[in-house]
Amino acid sequence: MRILVVEDDPVLSDGLKVGLGLSGATIDRVATCTDARAALAAARFDAVVLDVMLPDGSGLDVLADVRRRGDATPVLLLTALDETSDRIAGLDAGADDYLGKPFDLDELAARLRAIVRRRDGRASPVLEAAGVVLDPATQVATVAGEAVPLSRREFAVLSALMERPGVIRSKSEIEDRLYGWDEEVESNAVEVHIHNLRTKIGRAAIETVRGIGYRMRGQP
Amino acid sequence: MTSLKRRLFVLLLAATGVIWLSAIAWISLGSRAELERVLDTRLQEAARMVHSLAGSAMTSTASAAVDATGYARQLSCQIWSLDGRLVGRSSGAPDGRLAADQDGFSDREVNGETWRVYTIVDRDKGVRVAVGDRLGLRDRLVRDLVAGMLAPILLVVPLLGVLIWAGLGRGLRPLEALAGEIAARDGEDMRPVPTEGAPREVRPLLSALNGLFGKVEAARRHERDVTAFAAHELRTPLAGLKTQAQVALAAPDAATRDGALRQILVSVDRTTRLTRQLLALARLEAMGAARPEGTIDAGAVLRDVVASLPLPAGTTVTVDPALDGLRVPAEREMLHLVLRNLHENAVEHMPAGGRIAWAPLPGGLGLAVEDEGPGIPDEELALVTRRFWRGRHRSASGTGLGLTIAEMAARRLGARLGFANRSDRSGLRCALAWS
């Protein structure tokens, strides 16, 4: 999952980057409404964690702009105002979920997984394709009843492929999932991760489409 | 409770009553005078009539009954000979002598009653003719007249009262409607009461009320903002602490854990400062505005402040020597609070290698500090002393309370705090001035 965190407190923002990173997400961070608008216009995110009170305005305005543009990116509001009326205002402005500060990091990660799942129209918490079952909550793949532990990057690559089985993912799309803006992209990282994944879950599961990218075999 | 309706009712009824009573008094006095005139004329005419009769029929009817018609026995007539013998009299006439010695009107006491008498003395015929009526009767006539007017009035007064009461109720209905509308509001509803359609007399009251509503609403909005900011400023560091603690616990390697722990330290420092400032703010609010009595050395306090705060590497502070020995009317702790928060604010916004300069105010009592930070956009200058307000150029460690505290403490000192962007370069100038 690639997630945009819009939060002006540096300590919290750093905690979200590292903490959500531990659960296999790639995080990009901005601290103002202006930067958030620019980031959302420039790149595609699986979800946005949006603080309501930002130095140059209200996160709710950013949210309203995003929705007016027809952008359906799932948004989770993060705010110190957690009275019922504030929650209602946030949800009615187009937010998918709401979490009051301070919150539990694991709960935030679980809620993000849930709103992404809903965006994809899936009811099942696990991803399934080509005989592989992937649990985003534990980052563990199961092949023929056998649990296969994955590294953080391997999980990111596999989940990108398994979210849309049968659909080809280009190398740059996969790289987007692996690296945030401030991270150096290693040139053949994707190939290395695909190679490692194939040894773990079976050679046949991931198909290389020459010159385009990769896809999971099996039912789309 | 004074009731406007009851007051108006009593006033109106009393006014109506007074007018009626005056009218009755006037009418009765007027009627009495008129009555006197009419009755006197009648006496005179009756006397002439009897006198002319007395001339022709005196001998045949010695005691001709002259009964003046109108009111029974109202007029009495006596005919006397000049030598004092009663020649004749009407049937109701008293035994005592009515006739006066002279011609004309006279009031005479006969048998204990006062009579009004007209006398004609005729020396040719040798008679005195006297016609009179009792004054008591005249009084009764006037009394009857007045009573005749009073009776219907007494009947009409209650009816008038009912009408006035109902009319007042109707007239005051717009007031009641307004009161009802305001009473029906809940505590949240601060919309102005519409003044169109309200009676002209009530409009000033409504305008004042609407003004008050506006002020209450503004105060409440301010309170809500402050509460919201306070919630944000207190909960965000807590959220950061909790998240970093969870990261430290879940960290797969030592580097990640150390990073999280370092972030926790940063956050604890900032929260400590926030707590200190909140306490200072609470103390300031609880304190009365007591003007300081003596003067103290502002330079000494400033040097204390500067020495007590660590500077980031590369930042320098200059204190103009002219400040040493500058006496200002202030209390030490309060001045320390102002200068410390101004200094902290300057330090926070400094770029690496910048210089913070403290100097006395050129044209007055006070001191100013200039930093080389980004300054404050002009449209935000008026907002900097707002609680929890952090502008576009916020520092990472700021709390949004420093300048609020400085401004409040300055006011307690009887001084004024002014903020302006530097004209020579980017940076903020804060001036503390006593007037």
Side-chain angles (χ1 to χ4, degrees):
Chain A
M1 279 199 295
R2 180 157 182 179
I3 292 167
L4 178 68
V5 170
V6 187
E7 167 61 58
D8 61 313
D9 183 79
V11 175
L12 178 55
S13 172
D14 175 89
L16 288 176
K17 179 176 172 65
V18 180
L20 292 176
L22 291 178
S23 63
T26 302
I27 312 296
D28 287 308
R29 298 187 290 164
V30 290
T32 61
C33 290
T34 316
D35 293 349
R37 284 191 180 94
L40 284 164
R44 213 190 130 267
F45 295 92
D46 293 297
V48 180
V49 176
L50 180 62
D51 186 16
V52 170
M53 289 175 96
L54 292 163
D56 57 344
S58 167
L60 291 180
D61 295 339
V62 177
L63 179 57
D65 287 354
V66 166
R67 293 292 183 248
R68 210 173 299 130
R69 258 196 354 241
D71 187 338
T73 307
V75 172
L76 185 145
L77 285 180
L78 208 57
T79 166
L81 309 171
D82 59 353
E83 286 195 13
T84 314
S85 58
D86 300 317
R87 289 171 191 260
I88 292 171
L91 292 172
D92 281 347
D96 297 84
D97 206 347
Y98 199 105
L99 213 48
K101 293 176 182 175
F103 50 87
D104 189 282
L105 187 58
D106 294 335
E107 184 185 355
L108 174 64
R111 283 177 183 269
L112 285 172
R113 283 195 295 273
I115 59 176
V116 170
R117 197 164 66 221
R118 245 175 280 150
R119 177 204 61 182
D120 294 343
R122 284 187 291 120
S124 165
V126 295
L127 299 162
E128 275 189 85
V132 181
V133 177
L134 182 65
D135 186 349
T138 56
Q139 302 169 49
V140 170
T142 311
V143 183
E146 198 110 349
V148 181
L150 303 172
S151 78
R152 200 170 71 77
R153 305 264 187 193
E154 285 162 5
F155 166 76
V157 173
L158 188 56
S159 59
L161 293 172
M162 288 185 69
E163 272 167 17
R164 306 231 175 104
V167 174
I168 304 168
R169 293 285 199 176
S170 72
K171 187 183 160 190
S172 72
E173 269 183 289
I174 297 173
E175 277 172 349
D176 271 353
R177 290 297 198 88
L178 283 178
Y179 301 104
W181 296 327
D182 48 354
E183 287 171 292
E184 189 93 12
V185 178
E186 295 157 55
S187 61
N188 61 344
V190 174
E191 286 87 343
V192 172
H193 292 312
I194 295 277
H195 173 81
N196 290 344
L197 278 171
R198 279 180 174 148
T199 30
K200 285 186 178 178
I201 64 169
R203 223 134 261 294
I206 304 169
E207 183 191 353
T208 305
V209 184
R210 205 161 293 280
I212 303 176
Y214 305 89
R215 72 172 160 201
M216 286 303 279
R217 259 186 237 281
Q219 268 74 43
Chain B
M1 195 186 84
T2 59
S3 156
L4 200 60
K5 191 173 173 184
R6 200 168 308 153
R7 219 174 129 89
L8 280 173
F9 176 70
V10 170
L11 278 174
L12 282 175
L13 210 56
T16 317
V18 165
I19 285 175
W20 271 355
L21 288 178
S22 321
I24 287 166
W26 189 15
I27 289 171
S28 60
L29 285 176
S31 332
R32 187 178 195 102
E34 187 66 12
L35 205 68
E36 300 274 336
R37 203 177 57 78
V38 169
L39 291 179
D40 281 357
T41 313
R42 200 174 57 165
L43 279 186
Q44 200 174 9
E45 288 194 348
R48 285 197 186 117
M49 202 162 67
V50 172
H51 170 238
S52 63
L53 287 174
S56 58
M58 168 77 83
T59 48
S60 56
T61 55
S63 63
V66 179
D67 195 10
T69 53
Y71 287 98
R73 308 254 189 280
Q74 207 200 1
L75 287 184
S76 294
C77 176
Q78 290 176 338
I79 304 169
W80 296 79
S81 61
L82 283 179
D83 52 7
R85 202 168 34 87
L86 181 62
V87 177
R89 62 168 179 159
S90 63
S91 59
D95 298 333
R97 175 182 163 149
L98 284 175
D101 294 335
Q102 300 297 318
D103 270 5
F105 290 104
S106 56
D107 289 346
R108 296 185 59 85
E109 197 80 18
V110 178
N111 296 348
E113 279 181 295
T114 311
W115 288 76
R116 179 80 170 157
V117 179
Y118 187 77
T119 309
I120 297 174
V121 182
D122 188 336
R123 304 214 176 263
D124 298 340
K125 291 180 181 170
V127 288
R128 268 195 189 92
V129 175
V131 176
D133 58 7
R134 294 184 193 86
L135 280 184
L137 261 177
R138 290 188 171 198
D139 287 341
R140 216 183 67 210
L141 214 59
V142 173
R143 266 204 308 279
D144 286 350
L145 199 67
V146 170
M149 282 191 293
L150 270 178
I153 284 176
L154 286 178
L155 277 176
V156 163
V157 161
L159 187 62
L160 186 72
V162 169
L163 283 177
I164 289 179
W165 188 255
L168 282 176
R170 218 184 150 71
L172 293 177
R173 194 164 302 158
L175 266 190
E176 268 166 44
L178 276 175
E181 193 201 317
I182 294 170
R185 291 179 170 211
D186 59 14
E188 295 298 312
D189 192 353
M190 289 289 155
R191 281 176 299 122
V193 183
T195 47
E196 319 86 59
R200 188 153 35 91
E201 293 79 1
V202 185
R203 273 186 210 171
L205 187 66
L206 283 185
S207 302
L209 202 60
N210 285 339
L212 181 65
F213 278 166
K215 274 183 228 161
V216 169
E217 178 61 15
R220 218 156 50 175
R221 201 173 318 119
H222 176 69
E223 185 117 325
R224 249 197 320 262
D225 286 354
V226 167
T227 313
F229 277 119
H232 182 257
E233 294 302 317
L234 290 171
R235 284 181 169 167
T236 300
L238 288 179
L241 279 173
K242 183 164 178 177
T243 304
Q244 294 288 0
Q246 285 183 317
V247 168
L249 283 176
D253 52 76
T256 310
R257 190 173 53 242
D258 289 354
L261 290 174
R262 263 193 299 278
Q263 291 286 340
I264 288 176
L265 284 181
V266 169
S267 186
V268 167
D269 282 348
R270 198 183 144 212
T271 314
T272 307
R273 177 156 169 237
L274 179 64
T275 312
R276 177 168 54 74
Q277 295 202 313
L278 278 175
L279 288 175
L281 200 61
R283 250 200 323 271
L284 273 175
E285 279 181 339
M287 233 182 276
R291 278 265 182 148
E293 309 245 312
T295 62
I296 56 166
D297 182 350
V301 177
L302 177 61
R303 288 193 188 276
D304 247 24
V305 168
V306 171
S308 69
L309 290 176
L311 280 179
T315 305
T316 53
V317 177
T318 60
V319 177
D320 191 325
L323 279 173
D324 291 314
L326 177 74
R327 309 291 302 184
V328 293
E331 191 249 327
R332 194 181 185 291
E333 202 188 334
M334 201 66 77
L335 183 63
H336 194 276
L337 203 55
V338 180
L339 298 182
R340 179 189 172 130
N341 279 288
L342 289 182
H343 193 67
E344 268 182 347
N345 182 66
V347 170
E348 256 165 41
H349 293 95
M350 289 299 280
R355 194 170 68 98
I356 297 171
W358 282 93
L361 282 186
L365 182 59
L367 57 170
V369 60
E370 291 184 335
D371 64 41
E372 297 180 353
I376 296 173
D378 285 336
E379 68 272 17
E380 291 183 356
L381 270 178
L383 306 174
V384 292
T385 57
R386 280 208 193 160
R387 232 160 270 207
F388 295 115
W389 190 88
R390 296 173 70 197
R392 225 175 294 162
H393 301 309
R394 56 177 50 189
S395 68
S397 57
T399 59
L401 289 177
L403 294 182
T404 312
I405 293 173
E407 202 262 345
M408 271 180 86
R411 251 189 294 137
R412 293 270 190 277
L413 290 175
R416 237 177 47 78
L417 203 52
F419 305 94
N421 283 302
R422 290 175 65 169
S423 48
D424 53 337
R425 51 158 299 143
S426 84
L428 186 71
R429 175 187 161 87
C430 307
L432 177 67
W434 278 264
S435 47

